[in-house]
Every structure is written in C-alpha cells, then in structure tokens.
Amino acid sequence: MKLDTSGFETSMPTIGFGSSNDMLDGFSTVPSFDLPRTTDFDGFQKEAVQMVKPAKGTTTLAFIFKEGVMVAADSRASMGGYISSQSVKKIIEINPYMLGTMAGGAADCQFWHRNLGIKCRLHELANKRRISVSGASKLLANMLYSYRGMGLSVGTMIAGWDETGPGLYYVDNEGGRLKGDRFSVGSGSPYAYGVLDSGYKFDMSVEEASELARRSIYHATFRDGASGGVASVYHVGPNGWKKLSGDDVGELHYHYYPVPPETAEQVMEEAAAE
Amino acid sequence: MECVFGLVGEGFAIVAADTSAVHSILLHKNNEDKIMLLDSHKLVAASGEPGDRVQFTEYVQKNVSLYKFRNGIPLTTAAAANFTRGELATALRKNPYSVNILMAGYDNESGASLYYIDYIATLHKVDKGAFGYGSYFSLSTMDRHYRPDMSVEEAIELVDKCILEIRSRLVVAPPNFVIKIVDKDGARDYAWRQSVQDVTTAAV
C-alpha cells in the first residue's frame, strides 16, 4: 500500500534562497510534516505515547469490611520531580452513595468520573432505581475500553453501597475491571499493601478501619516520593459516604513517632518557670 | 504470567487456569476466575490483556446466546470456536485483541473437544493445549503422560502434576489455580488449587 503523501504537497509559492524580506521570514519555509527517521513507524508512535504517559504517582486504597467500605488517598500531584500541588482531591464524589478514587491523569479521572456520575443519574431517571456498583463500574470500564490505546491514564476504584451491600471494583484505562475486597492503586500502592494486608481483619469497627487506612497512606507517603500532602479517609455506609478525616502526613509522622523531649531541656524550662 | 492449559479425556474436557490479576510487580487479586461458562456445555479459558480478555470473551458469550435465542438450538463447540476465530481474524489488522483462548465443549454427536485459538486467530482442534510461560512446563508433562482414554481422576492427577511443575519451576509462578470440567452433564467448577488463601471469602 503506497502512502498517500498528497497532504504534503503545497500550492504556496516557494520563497527563493537569500530572501531578506522581514515580513516573509516567518513563513519562509514550506509548511510540511517531518516524518520521524525510523523504519517502524507504528512502534515509534507507541513509544511516543508511552513517553508522555504520566506515571500514576499517587497512593489510593480502598477495602471492604464489616461496616462498609473504607476509602483513603493522599493529595500530592507531581510532574516528574516537581511537586505541583499538595492539596489535590483524589477521592471523587460520584453521587451520595458512591465514591471514585483518582490515580493517573488528573484531568482524565475527573472528567470520566463526572461523566460516570451523569450516566448513573440518567440510569436512575430511566429505571426509577439506583444503579448498582457493579453496573456503574461496568459502564466506566466499557467507556475506557473503547478509548484503549489512545493514551488515557486512569487507575480508579469505584466504591459504594447498593442493594447487595458494599461493593468495590478496580477499573483501569486498559479496560480491566476487577471485583475485590482490598485494592491499592498508584506508585505508593506496594507500600500501602504492606501495611494494609498485615493489619486487615473483616471484623473491624469504623474507627479501627479508618486508623488502618490512615496508617497505610501515611506509610506509603513516607517511602514514596510521589505521594504526600494530606491523607483523606472516607467511609461508605448503608446511608452513603462520609468524610472521616484529612490529616497532613507530616503531622501524622510526629503523631505516630513523637520525638521524645530531652531531659536537660525539661529541667531548664522548669527552672525558668519558677 | 498467565498460565492456561487443558486436555480432553474419555467423554469430558478439563481446563485449568491461574487466578492471579497482575499489574507489573503487583498482584492485585489472587482469586480472579478466568474460565468463563460460554453456555451450558462450553468453557472458555482466556489469558491476555485484562480489558481485552473480559470484553472479548463476554462478546463471544453474548453472541453465542443470541444465536441460541434466534435459532432455538445452541451452537456446536466447533461452530463457536470458528466464530471466535473469525472475530479475532477480522479485528487482527485493524484493532487486534490480545487474548489467547482454549475453548472446551461437549456435543452429544461428537463428544468432548478442545480448541486452541491464539491471539493472531490461529485455530486448531487439539487433545491438549497450553498458553503462557506455564506452557513450557505443562506441555511436555502432558505429552509424556497423556492418553486419549483417560478417566476424570487420571486427568486431574495429570493436571495436578502440571500445576506442581509450574509452581516449582516458574520463577513468578501464580499461587492459585482453578480447574473446570465439561462433560455430558454440562460445564462446571471442578476444584480450586490454592496455596495462598485470602483473608476473606473465596472466589468473587
């Protein structure tokens, strides 16, 4: 198949060499595409997409337990080695009883979660009942699957409470969809899994579970440079979601590992108070 | 990497697949069921990219159901395998699916059969087949010990031999496997072989 190069031919008159006309200097070259010097053009395209693909620099986690679903995330946005924001909302409220977490491209996650919220509302209006978590995650997975290979970067968890009880699904930009009880997504996820897996029990109270979630996020932010900021923890119960806490991880560090005050200083302070 | 293998015995076909859902170094889930019931007497064990695997096998499943609704009779295993291969072939040079499939089925006229369909739309009717890194270990084991007139117990022994070989020799061996069987009574779960059990429930 011969490549169609008619788009490269131009009807614009070529300007002669050595022309010093300032006004025409801006368009002195004939507009044309530069083809990359490679024999494997398709492979080159894939490489280019992979290069600009933002790595999922974040830590998010969610798990199902006796009292519902616990969802937690950090709040740092990074561009390579630069921290662009410490206060990103990575837990997205799709509707009053469903939450989505954000990992990957911020714009992609925000847009597609909003879009999912619209589709869920339309389902409610058309069918006169709430959509299930399974249905909502399938809608999102199908949407993302139809865009596969086009450079979307979304690693999200859909957590909610429907007629069948608590539900948790992991959905990513390749169109993969997994049903499970515990997930963590992002560059800090292996660290979070380490704390989450060892401390997890199905029979936990809401306080124990939120402490486990907070601790897991904290430990992930400690080790992973692309995670940090504020550890937010949400709980999804039978009546919908509720934000439980949002603690700065720097403060959490000193809360978990306080620096013992030196005795010499203590003595001096007492003397001064007298 | 994903391990899928299967074999045909006397009046039945067995397929086994690992049950781990992996993203680079992370194991997200170790009880993911990759063997789908295509209809009452057909099984599809699929391995490949996560989105493609689920979407493509569900697409085939819905089309097989549609045929049955429209025509009143179910497709034969051979027809379903050829349909699947046709879909992979059509998509191959436009928008290829990265899925490898072992399709096992039982038809009253022709007995049990196993079809090997790989991601570039190769189709073979086989007695035993395997995909993934595990195939390097399971194929030779099956070649050595397989006989066409095996009973269910002997076949399960062979499957367990293969699982043991994969677990002991493959560097990133999956911890858990699911085994499903199809015979004249239909397609169903046979067993799970789990060396790592999750804290909460079994298969989701």
Side-chain angles (χ1 to χ4, degrees):
Chain A
M1 190 185 91
K2 193 170 181 304
L3 281 174
D4 175 22
T5 52
S6 57
F8 304 143
E9 273 116 49
T10 172
S11 52
M12 233 186 83
T14 53
I15 318 280
F17 273 126
S19 163
S20 55
N21 192 329
D22 286 311
M23 210 168 76
L24 289 173
D25 263 355
F27 358 98
S28 56
T29 47
V30 168
S32 66
F33 295 116
D34 270 327
L35 277 177
R37 277 167 240 283
T38 172
T39 42
D40 179 12
F41 191 63
D42 291 305
F44 169 85
Q45 270 198 321
K46 184 159 189 239
E47 247 185 77
V49 167
Q50 294 284 60
M51 192 185 72
V52 297
K53 201 170 170 173
K56 299 183 179 136
T58 185
T59 310
T60 58
L61 61 87
F63 58 89
I64 292 181
F65 68 113
K66 191 181 57 168
E67 307 274 358
V69 197
M70 200 55 79
V71 184
D74 74 315
S75 68
R76 175 175 289 185
S78 46
M79 285 155 44
Y82 174 69
I83 297 173
S84 44
S85 171
Q86 290 272 60
S87 51
V88 176
K89 264 193 81 173
K90 295 191 188 177
I91 298 182
I92 299 161
E93 295 139 11
I94 299 170
N95 61 40
Y97 58 96
M98 236 189 311
L99 292 173
T101 60
M102 181 201 299
D108 284 336
C109 289
Q110 280 174 356
F111 177 84
W112 287 109
H113 279 124
R114 194 71 189 269
N115 192 279
L116 179 64
I118 294 171
K119 285 213 163 91
C120 291
R121 179 71 184 135
L122 286 171
H123 176 99
E124 269 181 41
L125 291 168
N127 300 87
K128 261 193 142 179
R129 64 186 229 175
R130 281 181 179 171
I131 192 171
S132 61
V133 185
S134 169
S137 59
K138 192 75 177 169
L139 278 176
L140 182 64
N142 288 341
M143 276 193 280
L144 293 175
Y145 183 70
S146 60
Y147 285 91
R148 87 192 201 284
M150 297 192 203
L152 280 185
S153 176
V154 173
T156 183
M157 293 178 284
I158 305 292
W161 189 295
D162 60 27
E163 289 164 359
T164 61
L168 178 62
Y169 287 83
Y170 164 77
V171 178
D172 69 21
N173 53 274
E174 291 172 4
R177 171 173 168 266
L178 296 172
K179 179 170 160 59
D181 296 326
R182 287 204 296 290
F183 286 116
S184 178
V185 183
S187 56
S189 60
Y191 305 113
Y193 268 127
V195 178
L196 181 58
D197 285 338
S198 53
Y200 177 82
K201 290 188 309 290
F202 184 76
D203 298 312
M204 280 191 285
S205 66
V206 175
E207 291 76 34
E208 288 174 328
S210 76
E211 182 54 31
L212 179 64
R214 196 174 312 118
R215 197 80 194 238
S216 306
I217 295 285
Y218 157 73
H219 280 286
T221 60
F222 184 71
R223 286 290 181 183
D224 177 32
S227 304
V230 167
S232 320
V233 180
Y234 283 66
H235 173 242
V236 187
N239 300 319
W241 57 260
K242 182 165 183 265
K243 179 161 182 178
L244 293 181
S245 65
D247 303 292
D248 180 271
V249 294
E251 283 166 26
L252 274 181
H253 173 80
Y254 291 107
H255 171 71
Y256 291 134
Y257 303 103
V259 179
E262 289 176 24
T263 37
E265 277 177 357
Q266 266 185 338
V267 168
M268 278 180 69
E269 270 175 359
E270 280 170 28
E274 283 164 12
Chain B
M1 215 220 130
E2 303 188 356
C3 305
V4 174
F5 60 95
L7 56 112
V8 176
E10 190 66 52
F12 68 92
I14 282 186
V15 273
D18 75 291
T19 59
S20 37
V22 173
H23 276 81
S24 78
I25 58 162
L26 253 186
L27 185 73
H28 271 304
K29 204 177 164 194
N30 59 14
N31 53 8
E32 169 82 351
D33 190 352
K34 297 178 189 168
I35 307 182
M36 171 187 280
L37 258 63
L38 207 60
D39 71 12
S40 61
H41 286 73
K42 287 183 201 41
L43 286 172
V44 167
S47 72
E49 270 183 36
D52 284 347
R53 177 175 59 86
V54 173
Q55 295 278 356
F56 182 72
T57 52
E58 281 186 359
Y59 173 70
V60 172
Q61 188 192 50
K62 303 315 173 202
N63 272 285
V64 167
S65 289
L66 182 62
Y67 182 94
K68 190 176 170 194
F69 279 128
R70 279 186 176 152
N71 301 286
I73 49 163
L75 278 169
T76 59
T77 312
N82 275 283
F83 167 74
T84 307
R85 188 214 91 91
E87 290 301 309
L88 284 170
T90 312
L92 180 63
R93 288 190 165 82
K94 296 178 202 166
N95 193 12
Y97 295 107
S98 308
V99 213
N100 296 312
I101 287 174
L102 275 179
M103 187 180 290
Y106 185 89
D107 308 301
N108 286 322
E109 307 83 29
S110 40
S113 49
L114 182 67
Y115 286 87
Y116 171 106
I117 308 166
D118 76 6
Y119 71 107
I120 37 179
T122 311
L123 172 67
H124 286 300
K125 183 172 186 300
V126 292
D127 289 329
K128 47 191 155 38
F131 284 112
Y133 285 134
S135 67
Y136 288 99
F137 310 102
S138 48
L139 276 174
S140 57
T141 312
M142 287 195 289
D143 285 340
R144 170 68 182 83
H145 297 288
Y146 175 80
R147 283 179 342 273
D149 57 352
M150 289 177 96
S151 67
V152 178
E153 292 72 31
E154 291 170 332
I156 291 294
E157 258 181 50
L158 181 50
V159 165
D160 279 329
K161 249 190 209 121
C162 293
I163 291 177
L164 181 64
E165 190 60 23
I166 292 171
R167 274 196 184 140
S168 49
R169 287 294 186 185
L170 185 56
V171 62
V172 263
N176 300 338
F177 286 82
V178 62
I179 306 173
K180 295 202 184 181
I181 186 173
V182 60
D183 60 16
K184 64 176 178 14
D185 301 320
R188 58 192 180 281
D189 263 35
Y190 185 87
W192 283 69
R193 299 284 185 246
Q194 289 176 304
S195 61
V196 173
Q197 212 141 11
D198 209 7
V199 175
T200 45
T201 52
V204 260

